[in-house]
Amino acid sequence: MKPRDVQVLPIAAQTTVMRSRTWDRLKFEIEYALKKGTTANSFLIQAEKTALFDPPGESFTEIFVTAFKERIDPKTIDYLILGHVNPNRGVTIKALLEIAPQITFVCSNPGTRSLRQIIPDQELNIKVIKADETLDLGGGHLLEFITTPNPRFPDQLCTYDPHTEILFTDKLFGAHVCSDQIFDEGWQTYREDRRYYFDCLMAPHARQVETALEKLSDYPARLYATGHGPLVRYGLTELTVAYKQWAAQQKAQDLSVALLYASAYGNTATVAQAIARGITKAGVGVESINCEFADPEEIKAAVEKSAGFIIGSPTISGHAPTPIQTALGIVLSTADKNKLAAVFGSFGWSGEAIDLLESKLKDGGYRFGFETIRVKFKPDDKTLKYCEEAGTDFAQALKKAKKRASVAQKRPVSDSQAARTEQAVGRIVGSLCVVTTQQEELSSAMLASWVSQATFNPPGLTVAVAKERAIESLLHTGNKFVLNVLEEGKHIGLMKHFLKPFSPGEDRFEGVEIDTAENGCPVLKDALAYLECRVDNRMECGDHWLVYAVAEQGEVFSTDAVTAVHHRKSGSHY
């Protein structure tokens, strides 16, 4: 694995990018789960005055400051423009202040509050951005600012330079992928990474994303200077359109969940993000609300229109923070008792806030969509996967309840064209298989009958995977799995085992005899044959992902046996 470094190159007149790069996974957060590394992009405009944009987080502090001092005298920096402020970035900010105490910070009003919390014992020069305010660096670089807040980043600030037509977008339009490319040549190769990034970070804030896109449309950009990944030049129009479509899809969901939380050190927000990812995977919308920055009416409106609500809290000095106590009071006085509920939180030692939320909601008569999630200190991969599956279970419970209500009101349509079409689609048969995968400590499996050979050279196949499947998040491009083909006459036991509903985090292979393939994934000993596969591509198709994989090697255990086949009466379900 390559060591971390800082890639420095000019990108426009008097404008330089400094890409702090890591080729391995940066953090245990679900947005980094594709494990393709990332870049933390900082920018430098050196005109009559000098401005530095968005220094990286703590993981890059040392190498960034070293690279920075090699290229510029820190005493010549006039402004430090912050797209968002958090404790992780605060470590680098403090390091820069030591070598450049003359800096004037430029940030939004919420960013100012966060900055003073991170550096409480030092007098700071801060320029708080107000509506229609500009900053003249000279040489034509008259910077314009656009506030684009959302619950996860309430202080988010974008900056537009009309001289170079660069829009500095902070968290918007990014991707967690590391490469030598500065720009997005061959931009389609990044589509999956950008979509995953959107689903993790932006989907729970679709309403705010739409508002941000509307604001940014007034600025004619030829380049998006993103906070992460390659800068967006060649696919700028297509990515902008995709963001609009993805946000509209989220807002159009007929079921939504109000996800309320506060986060002291970022851990509760990380858990909230994983839960939200599981909910949106299942085709249910999320209205994510950071209670520290939301007014009571916003919380009340979100709870009232939601089909269910989830509330999460850190524990501070044995208590829930005041914004969470306020939100709890609003929930108890607003939410119908038929709404599904759930509780989560992180803590260092005790976790009393989580217990308080759980007891109050149970005493209030609410049903819980998943068992209360308690995370001590920082969540790891297994915890994040558990949270994602819990979110999916919550969403599925809401969908099932809606379906039951719909069926009760619906008149029979057995003679309709729709019913006849469903019956005809159901006559398409497929082999019964079990897809199994293992990534470090994470494993998963699913029964699959929508499997087909797709290519001769290379030998390839497609598997249709429902978006809400737990295994879906382990089947991205580059991931490996085993396709276990079941044998007619010996398939019933395995079929029943993998058809049963699994609880979040439950071991899918308990009681099943397995070996390990060379690619590290489980092989079912009672299968007819197996193929070791590598995901080569994915295509979004309605409520499924169509995964195309290359079969790298395989084996048949019984040459005289035949493949088990799945016969269906209806094409509307498995």
Side-chain angles (χ1 to χ4, degrees), residues 112 162 164 186 428 442 486 499:
T112 300
T164 58
I428 300 173
L442 300 179
L486 302 188
L499 268 179

Side-chain angles (χ1 to χ4, degrees), residues 226-353:
T226 57
H228 301 288
L231 312 188
V232 182
R233 170 181 286 171
Y234 301 98
L236 186 149
T237 300
E238 291 81 1
L239 182 58
T240 305
V241 170
Y243 256 60
K244 291 177 180 178
Q245 292 173 342
W246 298 338
Q249 287 172 5
Q250 287 300 316
K251 283 189 64 182
Q253 302 292 358
D254 54 0
L255 289 173
S256 69
V257 175
L259 180 58
L260 317 174
Y261 70 93
S263 189
Y265 303 103
N267 296 331
T268 307
T270 296
V271 174
Q273 183 178 323
I275 294 171
R277 171 68 180 133
I279 294 170
T280 57
K281 271 181 60 174
V284 172
V286 174
E287 179 72 14
S288 183
I289 294 181
N290 186 335
C291 297
E292 296 175 83
F293 299 93
D295 59 58
E297 286 305 312
E298 182 183 1
I299 296 172
K300 181 179 179 182
V303 172
E304 285 179 338
K305 74 177 184 180
S306 69
F309 63 89
I310 304 173
I311 185 166
S313 176
T315 296
I316 301 175
S317 301
H319 301 282
T322 300
I324 288 296
Q325 295 186 37
T326 300
L328 177 62
I330 294 171
V331 166
L332 291 173
S333 62
T334 301
D336 188 285
K337 295 299 185 292
N338 292 323
K339 290 184 186 286
L340 204 61
V343 169
F344 69 95
S346 64
F347 60 95
W349 306 107
S350 49
E352 290 92 345

Side-chain angles (χ1 to χ4, degrees), residues 146 164 348 413 455 518:
I146 313 101
T164 58
V413 291
T455 55
E518 289 189 20

Side-chain angles (χ1 to χ4, degrees), residues 127-146:
K127 180 178 178 62
V128 182
I129 293 303
K130 299 176 183 177
D132 301 322
E133 193 161 4
T134 60
L135 179 64
D136 193 352
L137 301 181
H141 301 278
L142 183 63
L143 303 185
E144 303 174 48
F145 300 97
I146 313 101

